Amino acid sequence: LKNDSCLGSMFEGCTLLKSTGKLPRVQLVPRWGMEYMFRNCTGLQYDDDLTAITLNGENPYRAMFMGCTSLKVAPKIAGVLKSASSMFSGCTSLTEAPYLRLDPDYAISGLFFCCTSLSKVQCNITTWKDSYYSNNWLRNVAATGVFICPASLDTTTRDASHVPEG
């Protein structure tokens, strides 16, 4: 797919969808990619695999799984995650994030906003860009948990836009 093509909102609100199934190996170069693709699919319990998909564009993963309250297992994600604002926002059953290779030059604001069961995050961030890019990426996650990152990352700032308290 090229240009302004978009798979966004394709399954939005499909409350009976339990799994995304195996997605075909594709390279997407649309402007908006798969934003909102599974938003509010409240019955979605797991996503099999996103490693077969290469996404480029302005905001390819924005809010892709937002509001998927039954999502327990996050997808495996290939490559560096770019522009994933609110990708898992409101996924209240998600307990562990997939290993995230984040590009600090792209927005991850709200990535796990209100993922109230999320207690483990592992990422490759080595520096904080500024608050716009990581704004509230871990707001309202579980009160205690594990945050794994490279030793070079400054982890002294404890808030929802850096390393969560607890």
Side-chain angles (χ1 to χ4, degrees):
L1 297 173
K2 294 185 179 187
N3 302 322
D4 284 337
S5 298
C6 179
L7 296 176
S9 303
M10 181 185 279
F11 301 105
E12 183 174 7
C14 292
T15 58
L16 299 178
L17 185 67
K18 300 281 187 212
S19 167
T20 61
K22 293 288 183 190
L23 296 170
R25 181 167 299 282
V26 297
Q27 179 171 6
L28 298 172
V29 192
R31 182 173 183 187
W32 301 108
M34 298 165 74
E35 77 173 342
Y36 307 117
M37 187 173 195
F38 300 104
R39 182 170 63 171
N40 295 326
C41 290
T42 55
L44 187 65
Q45 295 176 6
Y46 62 93
D47 182 74
D48 293 313
D49 198 345
L50 288 181
T51 59
I53 298 173
T54 303
L55 290 175
N56 296 304
E58 289 181 31
N59 220 333
Y61 295 102
R62 179 193 293 166
M64 186 175 182
F65 297 100
M66 175 186 264
C68 292
T69 55
S70 298
L71 187 66
K72 295 177 181 19
V73 179
K76 297 173 190 165
I77 299 170
V80 177
L81 195 58
K82 296 179 179 180
S83 295
S85 308
S86 303
M87 184 175 184
F88 295 103
S89 178
C91 293
T92 55
S93 297
L94 192 62
T95 58
E96 184 176 330
Y99 172 69
L100 300 173
R101 294 184 346 179
L102 302 171
D103 185 327
D105 291 328
Y106 288 88
I108 58 168
S109 60
L111 182 61
F112 295 109
F113 180 80
C114 287
C115 291
T116 54
S117 299
L118 186 66
S119 61
K120 183 176 180 185
V121 175
Q122 182 177 3
C123 66
N124 71 322
I125 297 173
T126 56
T127 186
W128 300 108
K129 178 88 170 166
D130 67 31
S131 62
Y132 168 77
Y133 291 91
S134 61
N135 187 34
N136 293 316
W137 82 296
L138 292 169
R139 179 170 295 287
N140 295 330
V141 295
T144 61
V146 177
F147 184 83
I148 302 168
C149 63
S152 60
L153 181 66
D154 176 8
T155 59
T156 58
T157 303
R158 300 295 174 115
D159 63 21
S161 297
H162 297 87
V163 179
E165 295 182 41

